[in-house]
Amino acid sequence: MSPELAVAMIGLFSAFADGEVSSDAEAYALGEMVSCIDLYSEYTEEDFADLGAEIGSLINEAGVEAVVSQAIETIKDEGVEEAAFIIALVVLVADGEVPEDEQEFIDDLRQALRISVERADEIVSELFSEVEEAEEEYDESEEE
C-alpha cells in the first residue's frame, strides 16, 4: 500500500468514526487537507478519483479492519504518522462536534501510530491555535 493511499484511508475512516456517513463539512475538510500535503502535490483530480476507487476495491477485497491495519503499518513504515493524525483531527472537528466515539477513535489512532499524548497535545494546540488566529484576523477585517 502506498503512503498516499494509507493517509487518505485514515482520513476517510475518520469521517466515519462516529458511525454516521460523513457530513459535507467532513468531506470538504478531508479534500482540503489531503490536497495540502506534499504526498499529493502532483495529484490531479483523476489521480484522486483513482485513489478513491482503489480504496473501495481494497475494502471489498480484504475488509475494513485489514485495510485499516495495513494503512497504519504503511504510515508508520513511511514516517507520515503526524500527517495522518492531523488529517484525522481536522476531519473529526470539521462538523463542529467531537462526540465520545470520535474522541475514542482519535485516541486509538494516536496509540496505533505511536504518537505520545504529549506530542498529540502539541499538535492539537498548534493546529487549533492557527485556526483561531485565522478566525480572529477574519473578524478584524470584517470590522474595518
Side-chain angles (χ1 to χ4, degrees):
M1 178 179 291
S2 71
E4 295 87 355
L5 183 63
V7 170
M9 184 81 64
I10 294 303
L12 180 64
F13 282 109
S14 64
F16 293 96
D18 59 2
E20 297 178 16
V21 176
S22 68
S23 69
D24 289 341
E26 290 170 331
Y28 178 78
L30 177 58
E32 286 298 303
M33 286 303 297
V34 167
S35 67
C36 293
I37 294 178
D38 288 343
L39 283 173
Y40 307 97
S41 63
E42 300 195 13
Y43 267 53
T44 64
E45 285 187 34
E46 185 177 318
D47 293 330
F48 282 115
D50 291 345
L51 191 66
E54 188 173 354
I55 289 170
S57 176
L58 283 171
I59 291 170
N60 286 334
E61 290 172 17
V64 172
E65 288 184 27
V67 172
V68 170
S69 293
Q70 186 179 2
I72 287 171
E73 288 308 310
T74 299
I75 287 166
K76 290 190 296 190
D77 290 346
E78 296 294 328
V80 291
E81 297 93 343
E82 289 188 9
F85 188 71
I86 289 168
I87 285 177
L89 283 170
V90 170
V91 170
L92 287 176
V93 301
D95 62 2
E97 301 173 355
V98 184
E100 188 175 326
D101 46 2
E102 288 181 343
Q103 291 174 13
E104 289 174 13
F105 171 84
I106 203 66
D107 191 53
D108 290 346
L109 179 62
R110 178 197 59 76
Q111 291 175 30
L113 295 175
R114 296 182 292 210
I115 297 173
S116 70
V117 171
E118 294 80 17
R119 181 60 188 138
D121 289 344
E122 288 173 6
I123 291 169
V124 168
S125 293
E126 291 170 15
L127 186 63
F128 295 108
S129 68
E130 290 174 14
V131 169
E132 289 172 7
E133 288 172 12
E135 287 174 352
E136 287 173 10
E137 288 175 15
Y138 177 77
D139 289 342
E140 288 173 8
S141 70
E142 289 289 306
E143 292 173 4
E144 295 175 359

